[in-house]
Amino acid sequence: MKHIVFLLLCFVTICANAIVVVDADDGSAVGGATVFSRSGMILGLTADDGTIAAAREADFPLSVRCIGYEPLEVAAPADTVRLIPAAYELKDVVVSPGERPVMRLVCYAREYSSGITGADTLQLYCEYMTESFLVDGKLKGYKKEDARPSKRNARRYARIMRAGRDTVFRPAYDDDIAMLSWFDNIVFIPKTVEVPETLLAGAEADSVPGKYSVKTVRRLKNNILTLASDGLADHENHRWSPLFFKMMGLTAEIEACTWTNSFVCDSARTVGIRNFVKSTYNIHINGRGKWFKKAFKTKEPIEMDTYIELYPVDIEYLTLADYKTLRDAYEIIPFRRPTSLAPLSPSVATLLKKSRKKK
């Protein structure tokens, strides 16, 4: 009987800390929102019904971020959190694809990464300027790998809480803590997509099935088209241990991998880079094995989470010769932040402040 009462109390506690994230305008559930604790650790994503267990009261205030909505700070436990839809404006772009067939896209990116071992807490925050080159169709002399975002500037800030010590520093790109970063593995530039007929006819959402679960959910709301995709929809048990990890001597299992692309949708039936507003990427990995243990000085598995925001800040069209010159120059791009950039959470702002003092 005592055991039953104990389990019921645990259940009530969990329910009491559960939060439902909804749209402030119509009350619909907001799935795929990323939730951060007060320390900047990633707690996870809201489910399709908008729910997430908020863990302990010590995690508050929480930060909630979701593409298409304004970021929100949740000061104390609450049953329902209401996100306000964001408004976006696009810059005019002069298009001359005949003489200038290569599109140069410059983006600003933020990456929040965290790791938890049996005794340590790790936090990595990075910001980047990236450059990508894209073409429609085929173009002689163009390399398709240049479509991936290539870093042209970077700032990194890290925090390690180990054995009662709280260490803040500016890591180099090859420090072990950089393993928390998955930017180069999961970030890509979205391509032109057709707006589904179902959405143009008035439906708010439709879905594309995967092998084992829904692969992509497409929504059209407030003139914003979002495509939320699940990278594990074709993997049995919704988990994946990539072969290339094993070839590198790593033991790691991907337990969540999602991304969302958003576009301003006007009357056109297709949207592309000129309509591109923002992308977000999430990944959760359970890392085990000797390599991880050595890198993070632990005998326990490490739970790694990464959340990335990618914003376009400049688009221009280039001749083939200009494209080759810029690609080969590999010049540093000064930091430029979009006007729609969400403010930093208090924990990350504190991390940056402490890191800069140590310079």
Side-chain angles (χ1 to χ4, degrees):
M1 186 65 182
K2 290 182 178 179
H3 290 90
I4 295 175
V5 172
F6 176 77
L7 290 174
L8 286 173
L9 287 173
C10 291
F11 179 77
V12 170
T13 300
I14 292 172
C15 290
N17 285 339
I19 287 178
V20 180
V21 180
V22 301
D23 186 295
D25 285 351
D26 59 18
S28 60
V30 177
T34 304
V35 181
F36 298 82
S37 72
R38 67 182 299 168
S39 64
M41 302 299 290
I42 299 171
L43 297 181
L45 304 177
T46 56
D48 290 340
D49 61 0
T51 59
I52 187 169
R56 310 158 301 164
E57 285 194 28
D59 290 324
F60 287 84
L62 302 179
S63 296
V64 183
R65 292 172 181 265
C66 185
I67 202 164
Y69 294 90
E70 299 291 345
L72 183 67
E73 296 290 319
V74 184
D79 294 333
T80 304
V81 172
R82 302 183 185 279
L83 296 184
I84 299 174
Y88 299 102
E89 293 183 2
L90 298 180
K91 296 180 179 179
D92 293 331
V93 180
V94 178
V95 182
S96 52
E99 299 176 359
R100 299 175 178 271
V102 182
M103 178 191 291
R104 176 179 179 256
L105 175 66
V106 175
C107 292
Y108 170 82
R110 279 177 170 174
E111 180 177 24
Y112 304 81
S113 301
S114 60
I116 300 176
T117 71
D120 306 331
T121 301
L122 315 168
Q123 187 179 359
L124 177 68
Y125 171 76
C126 305
E127 56 179 352
Y128 311 107
M129 293 300 300
T130 71
E131 184 177 49
S132 305
F133 299 97
L134 306 102
V135 299
D136 291 326
K138 295 182 179 180
L139 178 66
K140 187 176 180 179
Y142 169 77
K143 297 181 179 180
K144 61 181 181 180
E145 58 265 28
D146 289 335
R148 292 191 64 85
S150 181
K151 298 171 190 172
R152 293 293 188 262
N153 208 343
R155 292 173 181 157
R156 300 175 177 88
Y157 308 85
R159 182 183 186 188
I160 298 178
M161 289 161 279
R162 175 177 292 151
R165 297 183 60 185
D166 190 348
T167 305
V168 174
F169 62 104
R170 297 286 300 274
Y173 76 94
D174 56 352
D175 282 355
D176 287 339
I177 198 171
M179 273 199 64
L180 292 177
S181 169
W182 289 87
F183 185 93
D184 293 330
N185 302 93
I186 63 175
V187 174
F188 62 92
I189 298 298
K191 298 181 179 179
T192 298
V193 296
E194 295 285 335
V195 182
E197 290 289 343
T198 53
L199 301 187
L200 292 174
E204 278 197 2
D206 73 356
S207 60
V208 178
K211 187 175 181 180
Y212 297 102
S213 59
V214 175
K215 193 167 189 174
T216 301
V217 176
R218 302 175 293 195
R219 291 185 175 87
L220 182 57
K221 199 168 189 177
N222 302 320
N223 291 326
I224 300 295
L225 175 69
T226 61
L227 295 91
S229 301
D230 184 350
L232 300 181
D234 293 336
H235 294 274
E236 194 173 5
N237 299 321
H238 209 254
R239 294 170 182 265
W240 180 35
S241 296
L243 179 61
F244 68 85
F245 280 178
K246 298 177 181 178
M247 294 174 63
M248 294 170 60
L250 305 177
T251 303
E253 189 170 51
I254 299 176
E255 299 177 347
C257 182
T258 63
W259 58 88
T260 302
N261 300 316
S262 65
F263 307 84
V264 171
C265 183
D266 45 27
S267 59
R269 290 181 173 266
T270 61
V271 294
I273 293 301
R274 291 186 296 277
N275 307 88
F276 179 38
V277 171
K278 177 182 177 182
S279 289
T280 62
Y281 312 83
N282 292 270
I283 191 167
H284 175 83
I285 295 178
N286 185 311
R288 304 181 300 279
K290 295 181 179 179
W291 203 95
F292 284 101
K293 292 177 180 179
K294 180 181 178 181
F296 295 105
K297 301 177 178 61
T298 179
K299 295 181 179 180
E300 304 292 333
I302 177 170
E303 300 286 333
M304 297 185 288
D305 285 278
T306 291
Y307 167 75
I308 298 168
E309 299 173 344
L310 183 74
Y311 300 83
V313 295
D314 192 30
I315 299 174
E316 64 175 324
Y317 283 81
L318 307 173
T319 65
L320 183 61
D322 288 341
Y323 147 68
K324 291 181 178 180
T325 299
L326 277 172
R327 178 196 63 194
D328 296 339
Y330 207 85
E331 294 181 348
I332 293 176
I333 297 176
F335 275 99
R336 293 174 55 190
R337 295 172 178 80
T339 55
S340 60
L341 188 64
L344 289 172
S345 65
S347 62
V348 174
T350 300
L351 173 63
L352 269 58
K353 185 177 180 180
K354 289 183 177 180
S355 298
R356 287 163 181 162
K357 284 183 178 179
K358 289 180 175 288
K359 289 183 65 176

